[in-house]
Amino acid sequence: MNAREIALKTVYSVEFEGAYSNMALKSALARNDLSAADRGLVTNIVYGTVSRKLTLDYVITAYSKIKLKKISKYILIILRIGLYQLMYMDKIPESAAVNESVKLAKRYGHGASAGFVNGVLRSYIRNGIEIPENDLSVKYSFPQSLCNDWVASFGFEFTEKLMSAMNTEPKLTIRPNTLKTTSEELLKLLSEKGVKSEACGISLVCGGYDVARDELYRDGYYTVQDAAASAAALELAPEAGETVIDMCSAPGGKTTHMAELMKNKGEILAFDVHEHKIKLIEENAKRLGIDIIKAKIGDGTVFDKSLEKTADRVLCDVPCSGLGIIRRKPDIKWNKEDMGGLYEIQRKILENGAYYLKNGGMLLYSTCTIDRRENEDITSEFLINHSDFSILFEKTYYPHIDNTDGFYICKMRKL
């Protein structure tokens, strides 16, 4: 299969088979031996098509005589992929976008499908489309309900800048493993490999390259982690020799960061509800040369009496809607789950984490969302019910302001 066909199959699995975009893409790239350029093309088309599908469907509706719901599944995805290349990928020739889409239509549709795809794409090339400027849903391809929520919370101008930033491709950000290297040394090592990178706080922002095939990654010199996510462990600031509990650890990015800050001295109890994710934590720790992490199956919503007042610091990086990482997982905005149960899970994890903390200890609550109901509302309610805690630091990170993922951190001290 060529790059576009791989992209087609991947987008199809996300749209119609319930696959997660990041996992489906990772699997597709692993199964096919592609050049670096083709891997980049597949990645761009998959994430872009999934992210922009509402806008793409707006264009298809304008030029198709067949109603959207009546278009066969594969042909709909082929149209979206073709239009995405025409509308958003400057380096793709129009002829290539159209011709390759027509070829796919012949393979995945019936006799008339190729002509239909050709007609819609060439109609767009001839006439373009006028996107309503004040319709954020169509312009930036976000569900109308989410647009309404954010405009109500942040205002129109803020929301437009936020959505625009969430439609950009995030740069690869890595966190040096301070047990093995420094930022300066890692910059030099990457430069010797021809990888362009620059320091950003404790992190390095790099040009795109294949981490999975990099021996520096395999040898544990760094972890892939957004700068906002790295701020969680930095704010909690665990020290060597302490006992730390990570309530929701997998895949272990923040857990291993805390171990590095502790100079691999002390103990970190890392919990997750899934056994296969426990193995993932252990694999990451081994790769990085860390042996103070004890990964165990555990449900953060269920109180464990044996852990009461045992920890110097507790991290509650709770399950959330993930609305802050739409740049990396665009299907999140189309698959928003019922939030009622999630709020209760967040409350229970924070509550239990507080009971596991020693007097004078530090508690950090974090999410990868920008939704106030999952962030400030949860911590404010907690502080009302726990007068023995005081807030030390609170910040929401936004892509268009901080150039990071959307993220929330609240650090509290137990008096």
Side-chain angles (χ1 to χ4, degrees):
M1 288 191 290
N2 66 19
R4 287 177 176 84
E5 187 172 3
I6 293 168
L8 166 64
K9 301 283 281 187
T10 306
V11 175
Y12 185 96
S13 70
V14 173
E15 183 69 17
F16 297 114
E17 296 174 348
Y20 294 113
S21 58
N22 61 320
M23 299 304 294
L25 179 62
K26 182 179 180 181
S27 176
L29 294 178
R31 290 195 309 269
N32 295 276
D33 187 19
L34 298 171
S35 66
D38 278 347
R39 291 172 71 87
L41 179 60
V42 173
T43 300
N44 194 334
I45 291 176
V46 169
Y47 280 143
T49 304
V50 171
S51 180
R52 298 277 191 174
K53 72 172 184 178
L54 193 149
T55 309
L56 300 172
D57 286 353
Y58 180 85
V59 179
I60 294 169
T61 301
Y63 289 116
S64 171
K65 294 179 181 179
I66 304 172
K67 290 186 177 180
L68 210 63
K69 292 182 179 179
K70 296 282 183 74
I71 300 173
S72 69
K73 292 178 179 178
Y74 270 115
I75 298 303
L76 177 61
I77 301 301
I78 290 167
L79 281 171
R80 288 177 181 171
I81 287 174
L83 281 169
Y84 177 75
Q85 293 170 75
L86 292 172
M87 295 173 69
Y88 299 108
M89 296 182 69
D90 296 335
K91 295 181 180 179
I92 301 292
E94 291 180 349
S95 58
V98 175
N99 293 339
E100 293 300 319
S101 297
V102 170
K103 287 179 186 177
L104 289 173
K106 289 178 180 177
R107 193 171 305 159
Y108 286 88
H110 51 70
S113 299
F116 172 63
V117 168
N118 184 65
V120 171
L121 297 183
R122 292 199 179 279
S123 292
Y124 169 76
I125 291 172
R126 283 194 306 271
N127 305 311
I129 197 79
E130 187 173 338
I131 304 293
E133 276 297 315
N134 290 326
D135 189 336
L136 297 181
S137 177
V138 173
K139 185 176 181 180
Y140 295 103
S141 195
F142 278 77
Q144 188 62 57
S145 59
L146 195 53
C147 292
N148 295 342
D149 281 350
W150 285 356
V151 170
S153 297
F154 307 124
F156 187 93
E157 184 179 348
F158 187 101
T159 299
E160 180 163 26
K161 291 178 180 178
L162 173 63
M163 288 182 170
S164 178
M166 284 188 166
N167 278 337
T168 61
E169 182 180 353
K171 291 186 177 180
L172 176 67
T173 306
I174 63 176
R175 188 194 76 234
N177 177 6
T178 54
L179 300 176
K180 293 189 175 186
T181 189
T182 63
S183 292
E184 293 76 15
E185 182 183 8
L186 188 55
L187 271 170
K188 183 180 178 181
L189 291 171
L190 290 170
S191 178
E192 290 171 355
K193 293 163 63 68
V195 177
K196 294 180 180 180
S197 57
E198 59 182 353
C200 179
I202 66 161
S203 305
L204 302 181
V205 177
C206 307
Y209 69 102
D210 191 354
V211 170
R213 299 182 182 183
D214 181 18
E215 69 274 10
L216 290 174
Y217 175 78
R218 293 197 299 269
D219 292 343
Y221 277 75
Y222 63 85
T223 295
V224 177
Q225 187 177 52
D226 185 73
S230 296
L234 285 177
E235 285 299 332
L236 187 56
E239 298 179 358
E242 291 186 331
T243 297
V244 177
I245 294 178
D246 190 340
M247 300 286 286
C248 313
S249 175
K254 299 176 187 67
T255 321
T256 55
H257 190 189
M258 291 191 293
E260 292 164 20
L261 293 172
M262 295 164 68
K263 298 180 173 56
N264 201 31
K265 297 176 182 177
E267 182 179 67
I268 299 177
L269 299 178
F271 295 102
D272 196 87
V273 293
H274 301 292
E275 184 174 356
H276 70 278
K277 291 189 176 181
I278 296 299
K279 293 178 181 178
L280 193 58
I281 298 166
E282 292 172 339
E283 288 170 1
N284 271 323
K286 183 178 180 181
R287 179 179 64 83
L288 296 164
I290 293 166
D291 57 20
I292 66 167
I293 296 172
K294 294 183 178 179
K296 299 180 179 181
I297 295 176
D299 185 346
T301 66
V302 179
F303 179 68
D304 185 342
K305 179 70 175 175
S306 69
L307 297 177
E308 190 171 8
K309 293 186 177 180
T310 60
D312 298 289
R313 299 172 202 258
V314 174
L315 173 63
C316 299
D317 185 52
V318 300
C320 68
S321 62
L323 294 174
I325 55 172
I326 285 173
R327 296 188 305 169
R328 303 181 189 279
K329 300 178 181 180
D331 44 308
I332 284 175
K333 61 184 174 183
W334 310 118
N335 301 318
K336 192 176 179 184
E337 58 185 278
D338 174 49
M339 295 300 297
L342 196 54
Y343 300 144
E344 188 58 29
I345 289 171
Q346 292 164 347
R347 291 189 192 98
K348 285 181 177 178
I349 292 172
L350 181 57
E351 189 87 9
N352 289 337
Y355 287 123
Y356 298 159
L357 201 61
K358 298 174 183 177
N359 292 337
M362 300 293 181
L363 176 66
L364 191 135
Y365 176 89
S366 63
T367 71
C368 56
T369 186
I370 56 172
D371 191 326
R372 183 180 182 87
R373 292 166 293 189
E374 301 176 71
N375 296 339
E376 292 92 342
D377 288 357
I378 297 289
T379 53
S380 295
E381 179 185 311
F382 172 82
L383 289 167
I384 289 171
N385 296 328
H386 292 269
S387 58
D388 54 336
F389 278 80
S390 63
I391 190 166
L392 299 180
F393 176 85
E394 185 178 31
K395 177 177 172 64
T396 303
Y397 295 81
Y398 297 100
H400 65 297
I401 295 174
D402 302 288
N403 199 27
T404 64
D405 290 338
F407 205 81
Y408 172 78
I409 291 174
C410 182
K411 180 182 179 181
M412 295 167 275
R413 175 187 280 128
K414 189 174 184 179
L415 305 179

